[in-house]
């Protein structure tokens, strides 16, 4: 890799890192592209070389964090075929990631269901990046373990349940490693998903 490519990649990542911090601390609408460029240590023109608009920065940031989240969930995870056990393993890894990445999790809490994220971007994150969750839901529905509701609705429910659990653990960090609360968070999630 040439040093120019490395520098370009570093600048783009610096822009995303600065945007993350500013979007979480100040909000999307209160953050200007000029403030992102300044925090990243790049010229505003450099920012626009990488991203056409502030919305493009938001979309790229959302998708890259969602990809990091998904990659962490599936890394070193062997699915057993036991839908509930596999769902619990993925759920616990998702909570571990959130606890280890508080700034990125705050970003998700603020923006996952926000109008600041384009619907097409949210859909791409949910169906493509988190495709393994969709597959697990479909397997569970086929086996009669997961309720036979529309898959997109089930996926949104998963997402909402996860955000609720993470909000709880964000507000109560001392309980993030408490097995009773961790187990209860999965049971609440599973109860909402399973076939009755």
């Amino acid at each position: 890799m040439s040093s120019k490519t490395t520098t370009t990649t570093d600048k783009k990542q610096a822009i995303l890192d600065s945007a993350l911090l500013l979007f979480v601390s100040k909000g999307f609408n209160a953050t200007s592209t000029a403030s992102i460029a300044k925090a990243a240590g790049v010229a505003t023109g450099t920012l626009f070389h990488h991203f056409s608009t502030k919305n493009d920065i938001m979309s790229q940031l959302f998708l890259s964090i969602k990809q990091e989240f998904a990659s962490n969930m599936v890394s070193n995870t062997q699915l057993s075929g036991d839908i509930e056990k596999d769902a619990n393993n993925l759920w616990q890894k998702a909570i571990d990631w959130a606890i280890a990445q508080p700034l990125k999790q705050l970003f998700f809490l603020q923006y996952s269901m926000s109008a600041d994220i384009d619907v097409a971007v949210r859909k791409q994150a949910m169906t493509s990046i988190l495709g393994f969750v969709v597959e697990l839901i479909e397997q569970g529905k086929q086996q009669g373990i997961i309720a036979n509701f529309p898959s997109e609705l089930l996926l949104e429910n998963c997402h909402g349940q996860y955000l609720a659990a993470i909000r709880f653990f964000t507000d109560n960090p001392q309980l993030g490693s408490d097995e009773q609360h961790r187990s209860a968070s999965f049971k609440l999630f599973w109860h909402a998903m399973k076939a009755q």
Side-chain angles (χ1 to χ4, degrees), residues 28 53 79 94 104 141 158 160 166 177 185 187:
F28 178 75
T53 65
L79 297 181
K104 291 175 182 175
K141 284 171 60 175
C158 286
I166 289 311
S177 59
S185 73
K187 288 176 183 172

Side-chain angles (χ1 to χ4, degrees), residues 17-49:
D17 291 344
S18 297
L20 171 64
L21 184 60
L22 290 169
F23 289 162
V24 169
S25 63
K26 293 185 173 197
F28 178 75
N29 293 319
T31 299
S32 67
T33 52
S35 65
I36 295 169
K38 182 177 180 182
V42 301
T44 304
T46 302
L47 181 144
F48 287 117
H49 170 75

Side-chain angles (χ1 to χ4, degrees), residues 117-129:
I117 303 289
D118 185 79
V119 172
V121 171
R122 278 201 317 266
K123 188 169 185 141
Q124 178 185 351
M126 294 301 283
T127 58
S128 296
I129 295 174

Side-chain angles (χ1 to χ4, degrees), residues 46-59:
T46 302
L47 181 144
F48 287 117
H49 170 75
H50 293 290
F51 304 97
S52 300
T53 65
K54 184 169 69 167
N55 284 49
D56 289 343
I57 297 170
M58 174 62 91
S59 294

